Amino acid sequence: MKKLLQEKMSELLSLYVDGQLSEAEAREVEQHIRENENVRQEFKELLQLKQLLASKPRVEENTSFWVALSQRIETQPSYTTTTAGVLAFKPLIIIAATMILFLGIGYGIYSYFQQTQTLSSEQHRHFHSSLVPVFSHISKDDALQFILFGTLPFDRERRTVLELDETDRQRCKINIWKNTPRVHNNNNCTVQKLVTEAKLNEEQQRLLDSILIIAQERIRASIFMGENNVLAIDPSLPSIKRVIAKSIYSTLHPRQQSSIQRLLATNNLRHKVHYQQQLLSETKKTVHQIRRIPRNRLFVVITPDTLMYSTISLSDSLNEIHRTAYADHEYHCRRLVEQFIQQDFSMLSQQTIGNGPSTDKMKRVLQVEITTFGNSWFQDDDTFRVNKSLSPHNLTIVPAEANKNNQHKDKHGN
Amino acid sequence: MEIALGSRDIGVRARSFVSCEQSEQSTNYKMEAAPSTARTVELSIDEIRRLNDEELVKLFQQGKEIAFRFLVERHQSRIRNLLYSIFHEREFADDLAQEVFIKAYRALHRFRFESSFYTWLYRIAINRSRDEMRHRKLQRFFSFEQLDEGVEAELQARIATHPKNRDDEELVALGLKMVPEPFKSAVILRDIEGLTYEEIADVLKCELGTVKSRIARGRAMLRKVLKPLLEEPRQ
């Protein structure tokens, strides 16, 4: 009985310190506190306890919480579909299952042939790591720049640059340069310049805009980076570039094409612009053709110690978050790029081909060389046909020659 | 005819892109398209940042997943702090907090605004931590380990040390470990997280009377284990 009373008193005291009692109840409790030593002691302790708990320091801010979380959301499979919802679409599920089955068989056959074609590259596997698109915020000017000149700056200061070297028809080289001199950045053909120089009409401007949107999207889906200095490149990037460049030219009239060529010539363009007599009525076709550039499932994946030709896992669910969480994503990518270009890839050295221009200031981080199987990589005459079996026959990584020397010099320079 | 169709198709494509960027450029092509869209995204992010929880949830349910980011930013420290108070393991608490937010992300489109967003979030966290504790209990059962005794002995030993060398925060954490559920979470929600009795009833999905008695009993237990600490005169 006493214990029960004690418990009742404890609860009343607990409510009293929180100000949860009515006026009359509070008076009653106060009276107990005054009159009863035990109750007074308990009340004091309760106040102290409350103070102790309230003064407990809170956990400090975790700035990388969101970045880590967004990656986890992206990589974890969704498991929220309820059974009821699934059952409601039973016929659809059967159809879907059948389709998946057929697709599976189809892919099995496809991958069998793919594998036979990629004999000399590393075996085909799946790369498990969360990768983020490096160029999720690529501007239209940068996209145009890449389409025309094949250079893509990794950072705002344009110090690290990805470059497609297409001088060789059989091979395509993807270079990553660091500390690039101004020469590389002189090619500046902005959308504005192109529009004024070639006097594009409203229709053409809209078309250009649409094409650039597709280009942005394709470039975004072609280059990924992850923790531990991982870089994944879609080997069809050069042909994407080619096809989009051609579709931009094809929207122009011959006179406009020649003025564009003048503009590009002053900016030291690497490849020739082919004149094309194409009517505007073909433009719808053009955009459709670009959309039909096959999406490569297999990526060239480069890590500090391996070179793979493999599928990568990317879910689209969080792409929007990546796209819109601007500052975080950019910071994250900049850090990844920074780490990547500091990496020494000499372990990957298989063969050194063509050193290319190299000065003290300019450093090539690495060069990926992709050779196609059998036929040539580009088909100049045939505008929109893209080789569907884009699996590279050979992958070669050429690490920066004298990279260590340069680093050495840098250290001394600093 | 085909030309017109084609151009309309492309026009629509361009327009839909523009509208999704929340820009007022309409169909007119703007030269500074790229930088300006970047600016609009940042601007609209600022606007989104100013929205309250409810508006953010609605935005998320309309397909703007970006809203979730701000909900996370706003509430992550609360949830992390709650889980840290329960488990007193920093990394584990962060890990669990991520699971809580992942769960929230997956369930947010079903959120019906019957309670406030953060009490809902607290509820997920409390449920998740209960699962975890159940799991641990089971593990302990199978490993025949008597954890509580260890904790109590350690607590008493630490309280006995000189106040100068003592870490009161550590003591409170150890004390909390001694309090069983559901009393512990009630005390934490009230005295560390500072929720009102009504909010706690909402989080724990129970009657107000139950909350009152749980807090009182939880405090009584904690008072008992930390008694030597509380009896000392404090400045």
Side-chain angles (χ1 to χ4, degrees):
Chain A
M1 187 65 196
K2 200 185 167 197
K3 198 185 171 198
L4 209 70
L5 273 173
Q6 209 180 342
E7 266 180 23
K8 182 77 199 152
M9 196 62 234
S10 282
E11 190 175 329
L12 281 173
L13 274 176
S14 165
L15 290 169
Y16 176 72
V17 294
D18 283 338
Q20 296 284 318
L21 293 180
S22 70
E23 192 76 8
E25 285 171 321
R27 295 290 86 79
E28 206 175 314
V29 171
E30 279 164 7
Q31 197 186 344
H32 275 287
I33 292 170
R34 273 196 304 273
E35 289 169 1
N36 191 325
E37 175 66 32
N38 287 344
V39 176
R40 188 157 57 238
Q41 179 62 24
E42 191 176 338
F43 172 66
K44 267 187 197 165
E45 286 177 15
L46 211 52
L47 281 180
Q48 277 188 5
L49 180 72
K50 235 180 117 63
Q51 194 195 344
L52 201 62
L53 287 170
S55 64
K56 189 174 174 286
R58 300 185 72 86
V59 291
E60 64 274 19
E61 197 70 25
N62 181 349
T63 45
S64 60
F65 189 82
W66 168 252
V67 174
L69 177 68
S70 63
Q71 283 184 10
R72 265 179 81 168
I73 293 177
E74 194 173 8
T75 47
Q76 278 190 8
S78 168
Y79 42 80
T80 50
T81 326
T82 58
T83 344
V86 171
L87 289 176
F89 296 100
K90 215 174 174 181
L92 272 178
I93 286 168
I94 294 168
I95 295 169
T98 325
M99 275 170 68
I100 288 167
L101 189 68
F102 277 112
L103 282 174
I105 294 168
Y107 178 66
I109 297 167
Y110 167 78
S111 56
Y112 172 76
F113 283 109
Q114 286 272 320
Q115 272 170 355
T116 56
Q117 280 187 357
T118 55
L119 288 173
S120 59
S121 61
E122 292 252 337
Q123 78 238 56
H124 161 201
R125 45 187 145 163
H126 187 76
F127 185 73
H128 294 277
S129 177
S130 62
L131 298 170
V132 290
V134 186
F135 297 107
S136 56
H137 300 97
I138 181 168
S139 69
K140 281 187 186 143
D141 283 337
D142 279 344
L144 184 70
Q145 193 90 337
F146 175 72
I147 297 305
L148 296 178
F149 302 101
T151 56
L152 203 52
F154 268 114
D155 49 3
R156 278 226 182 112
E157 297 79 35
R158 293 163 187 273
R159 288 171 63 79
T160 312
V161 171
L162 179 137
E163 180 203 34
L164 285 187
D165 184 352
E166 300 164 304
T167 39
D168 192 333
R169 277 175 56 87
Q170 293 294 319
R171 282 187 284 263
C172 168
K173 291 172 191 163
I174 298 169
N175 293 322
I176 293 168
W177 299 96
K178 79 173 177 185
N179 298 336
T180 49
R182 296 296 304 166
V183 178
H184 258 67
N185 302 328
N186 280 348
N187 321 332
N188 50 9
C189 178
T190 57
V191 178
Q192 168 82 70
K193 236 181 194 173
L194 189 77
V195 170
T196 43
E197 195 76 20
K199 298 188 182 66
L200 299 187
N201 63 30
E202 206 178 303
E203 174 80 46
Q204 285 171 322
Q205 284 179 25
R206 258 211 300 270
L207 192 60
L208 178 68
D209 194 37
S210 304
I211 291 171
L212 286 178
I213 288 168
I214 299 169
Q216 283 176 318
E217 195 251 323
R218 290 307 298 260
I219 295 168
R220 189 166 82 91
S222 298
I223 303 162
F224 297 92
M225 265 193 175
E227 295 289 344
N228 307 324
N229 302 320
V230 178
L231 176 74
I233 301 178
D234 185 346
S236 59
L237 193 62
S239 48
I240 293 170
K241 171 184 173 286
R242 277 286 168 120
V243 173
I244 293 176
K246 283 193 171 162
S247 58
I248 289 178
Y249 299 144
S250 74
T251 60
L252 309 172
H253 295 298
R255 201 180 300 157
Q256 292 176 316
Q257 284 185 4
S258 58
S259 64
I260 289 289
Q261 202 176 17
R262 272 201 305 279
L263 173 72
L264 299 183
T266 56
N267 281 309
N268 132 52
L269 179 74
R270 290 274 186 102
H271 61 262
K272 255 172 75 183
V273 182
H274 293 268
Y275 283 98
Q276 281 162 18
Q277 194 71 41
Q278 195 153 13
L279 290 172
L280 216 56
S281 63
E282 296 280 313
T283 52
K284 184 184 169 193
K285 221 168 130 196
T286 310
V287 175
H288 279 289
Q289 290 279 14
I290 313 173
R291 292 235 176 92
R292 273 165 53 195
I293 307 174
R295 280 180 194 263
N296 217 345
R297 292 177 45 89
L298 295 163
F299 279 69
V300 177
V301 179
I302 302 150
T303 71
D305 45 30
T306 51
L307 174 64
M308 285 182 278
Y309 190 47
S310 69
T311 52
I312 56 174
S313 43
L314 290 162
S315 111
D316 283 332
S317 67
L318 263 223
N319 270 356
E320 184 177 358
I321 295 188
H322 276 309
R323 195 164 60 82
T324 39
Y326 188 81
D328 264 4
H329 181 80
E330 202 186 64
Y331 171 75
H332 185 56
C333 285
R334 205 185 302 161
R335 194 173 56 80
L336 291 177
V337 169
E338 201 59 38
Q339 279 174 6
F340 186 82
I341 59 169
Q342 297 303 333
Q343 182 67 39
D344 180 14
F345 286 93
S346 56
M347 267 177 81
L348 284 173
S349 177
Q350 293 174 357
Q351 206 183 339
T352 311
I353 304 167
N355 285 337
S358 174
T359 62
D360 272 354
K361 273 185 183 172
M362 196 165 165
K363 266 192 250 173
R364 181 160 61 207
V365 177
L366 87 160
Q367 182 180 67
V368 185
E369 196 175 288
I370 305 166
T371 319
T372 44
F373 187 71
N375 50 25
S376 75
W377 191 261
F378 310 110
Q379 290 160 316
D380 276 341
D381 46 332
D382 188 353
T383 327
F384 292 120
R385 271 190 48 213
V386 182
N387 192 353
K388 282 202 175 169
S389 57
L390 271 171
S391 53
H393 178 232
N394 250 323
L395 282 177
T396 310
I397 288 262
V398 185
E401 75 289 350
N403 198 354
K404 279 179 187 164
N405 288 347
N406 282 345
Q407 275 175 5
H408 194 66
K409 273 179 196 168
D410 270 8
K411 270 177 199 164
H412 282 273
N414 296 334
Chain B
M1 192 58 211
E2 210 188 337
I3 304 169
L5 255 177
S7 59
R8 204 179 305 150
D9 182 28
I10 292 153
V12 167
R13 176 76 176 84
R15 218 172 303 146
S16 68
F17 175 76
V18 166
S19 68
C20 96
E21 292 281 352
Q22 289 191 330
S23 155
E24 59 288 274
Q25 288 180 18
S26 76
T27 51
N28 290 340
Y29 188 83
K30 279 203 173 175
M31 291 316 126
E32 72 283 19
S36 84
T37 44
R39 219 179 305 130
T40 30
V41 169
E42 275 176 317
L43 233 179
S44 67
I45 281 179
D46 270 353
E47 278 162 14
I48 293 172
R49 203 188 292 274
R50 281 195 287 274
L51 297 176
N52 64 31
D53 286 355
E54 201 172 85
E55 289 164 331
L56 282 174
V57 173
K58 276 183 185 151
L59 206 63
F60 179 88
Q61 289 178 341
Q62 286 159 13
K64 280 261 166 216
E65 294 202 328
I66 178 68
F68 188 66
R69 186 193 167 191
F70 296 106
L71 289 168
V72 173
E73 274 179 2
R74 211 169 280 176
H75 299 293
Q76 54 128 320
S77 59
R78 272 183 175 180
I79 298 302
R80 284 171 53 236
N81 199 57
L82 170 74
L83 294 168
Y84 178 64
S85 304
I86 295 174
F87 293 100
H88 201 61
E89 296 161 44
R90 212 165 284 266
E91 271 180 31
F92 181 74
D94 274 15
D95 206 44
L96 215 57
Q98 296 222 337
E99 281 181 32
V100 168
F101 279 107
I102 290 171
K103 221 165 187 177
Y105 172 79
R106 305 239 191 267
L108 196 55
H109 63 274
R110 296 197 300 268
F111 185 74
R112 290 183 186 282
F113 302 96
E114 282 157 358
S115 59
S116 67
F117 174 75
Y118 73 89
T119 54
W120 180 72
L121 210 55
Y122 272 127
R123 198 182 309 147
I124 297 177
I126 292 283
N127 287 339
R128 182 65 193 85
S129 62
R130 275 185 195 161
D131 287 348
E132 178 59 30
M133 276 186 276
R134 218 169 286 144
H135 180 70
R136 287 185 177 194
K137 222 178 204 170
L138 214 64
Q139 273 185 331
R140 260 208 311 276
F141 178 76
F142 285 110
S143 64
F144 301 104
E145 199 185 310
Q146 291 290 313
L147 191 83
D148 291 348
E149 279 181 15
V151 171
E152 188 163 12
E154 193 186 343
L155 182 69
Q156 297 312 331
R158 289 217 190 174
I159 288 178
T161 57
H162 196 269
K164 269 189 182 172
N165 309 326
R166 206 172 52 193
D167 183 358
D168 282 0
E169 190 204 344
E170 197 73 15
L171 287 177
V172 172
L174 281 170
L176 277 169
K177 259 191 183 171
M178 301 281 298
V179 179
E181 284 293 350
F183 312 106
K184 176 159 79 173
S185 47
V187 172
I188 290 174
L189 287 173
R190 174 68 204 149
D191 288 337
I192 296 178
E193 293 302 313
L195 265 63
T196 66
Y197 278 69
E198 288 75 15
E199 283 172 330
I200 297 169
D202 192 18
V203 171
L204 301 175
K205 281 277 168 220
C206 60
E207 296 295 320
L208 204 58
T210 317
V211 173
K212 286 175 181 172
S213 73
R214 278 186 192 174
I215 291 174
R217 288 188 62 188
R219 280 173 178 169
M221 290 178 206
L222 198 56
R223 203 162 49 81
K224 208 171 143 195
V225 292
L226 295 176
K227 204 169 175 67
L229 192 69
L230 299 172
E231 276 171 349
E232 285 167 10
R234 295 180 72 84
Q235 1 354 29

